[in-house]
Amino acid sequence: NAGVTQTPKFQVLKTGQSMTLQCAQDMNHNSMYWYRQDPGMGLRLIYYSASEGTTDKGEVPNGYNVSRLNKREFSLRLESAAPSQTSVYFCASSYGQGPSNEQYFGPGTRLTVT
Amino acid sequence: AQSVAQPEDQVNVAEGNPLTVKCTYSVSGNPYLFWYVQYPNRGLQFLLKYITGDNLVKGSYGFEAEFNKSQTSFHLKKPSALVSDSALYFCAVRQTKAAGNKLTFGGGTRVLVKP
């Protein structure tokens, strides 16, 4: 049981390049999330998927797109990377949307945009 | 809107001494409160949560947290800190009907336990 896995672990992009961050979970969770972590700001929600086939914007969605490929996989795409997107990105999942459901996090992807 | 404040950027404590990490929150309605820990180069790990009931919540690794509704606080505590407790700690809150199961995180508190 690997939990939540993310690829790649590290990535360096030039401004304007595109890339996709991959996330998969093997806990049969229904809901999945993408966060970014910046120093002193905690984690901020980019997009989430309440269930397979649905996606919704979070707090900071501009410059990103997502795809819920199936129940296990939820990808985050940067179409044209900007230096402001330099951050650590975390994928998370939870069993459901109920407020008592804790979220389980992947190990993160450290992205640098030059 | 919901919000979380962790007033201390860093907490230093000697091994064996009590550890407290402070958290205050603001929500509409009843809060659901969480503590997560992040070790270097790792994702966040769930420690404990308050949903309802007993104000003292016990979690993983000997941690506990006390919910105080009148002070809108949810401080994390450990009676005797270990060097291995050195990490970044995040408090998070969710209100009863937050869209998208949205968690709002505090800015984090770095804990340094010295031998």
Side-chain angles (χ1 to χ4, degrees):
Chain A
N1 190 338
V4 180
T5 57
Q6 294 181 236
T7 57
K9 291 186 178 180
F10 303 94
Q11 184 71 48
V12 178
L13 292 178
K14 295 184 178 179
T15 297
Q17 288 185 318
S18 63
M19 79 161 296
T20 300
L21 282 63
Q22 305 287 352
C23 173
Q25 52 89 11
D26 63 1
M27 296 176 284
N28 201 34
H29 284 172
N30 295 302
S31 303
M32 298 185 73
Y33 313 83
W34 276 105
Y35 291 90
R36 59 177 291 172
Q37 182 183 29
D38 301 293
M41 300 185 71
L43 276 74
R44 292 180 292 169
L45 183 65
I46 305 171
Y47 270 93
Y48 67 97
S49 171
S51 60
E52 185 179 356
T54 69
T55 61
D56 284 286
K57 295 179 180 179
E59 187 181 353
V60 288
N62 291 343
Y64 305 96
N65 284 301
V66 291
S67 295
R68 183 74 182 267
L69 304 171
N70 47 55
K71 190 172 184 178
R72 291 186 62 250
E73 299 172 289
F74 189 40
S75 63
L76 178 71
R77 182 160 179 84
L78 287 71
E79 291 290 351
S80 179
S84 61
Q85 294 178 306
T86 293
S87 188
V88 182
Y89 291 85
F90 289 99
C91 178
S93 69
S94 66
Y95 179 74
Q97 280 286 288
S100 65
N101 284 278
E102 61 266 28
Q103 295 178 14
Y104 294 83
F105 287 79
T109 295
R110 188 173 296 274
L111 175 66
T112 301
V113 183
T114 62
Chain B
Q2 56 193 35
S3 65
V4 177
Q6 293 181 241
E8 301 158 316
D9 290 336
Q10 181 159 323
V11 170
N12 298 317
V13 63
E15 188 174 30
N17 282 1
L19 169 64
T20 298
V21 185
K22 296 179 181 178
C23 171
T24 59
Y25 67 90
S26 175
V27 296
S28 301
N30 294 322
Y32 292 79
L33 294 154
F34 301 79
W35 276 102
Y36 287 84
V37 60
Q38 185 181 29
Y39 298 101
N41 301 313
R42 302 286 294 276
L44 278 68
Q45 295 180 28
F46 169 74
L47 274 180
L48 52 79
K49 65 182 177 183
Y50 171 81
I51 304 301
T52 186
D54 194 347
N55 289 342
L56 185 64
V57 179
K58 294 188 182 297
S60 306
Y61 312 121
F63 283 94
E64 58 188 28
E66 185 168 10
F67 172 65
N68 187 317
K69 188 172 184 178
S70 63
Q71 297 186 3
T72 61
S73 67
F74 189 56
H75 301 330
L76 181 70
K77 300 180 181 182
K78 186 171 184 180
S80 179
L82 301 172
V83 172
S84 57
D85 293 328
S86 298
L88 188 57
Y89 291 80
F90 290 98
C91 181
V93 67
R94 182 187 302 130
Q95 61 193 41
T96 311
K97 294 184 178 180
N101 199 17
K102 181 179 181 297
L103 271 178
T104 297
F105 287 85
T109 299
R110 188 166 300 281
V111 170
L112 181 59
V113 182
K114 297 182 178 179

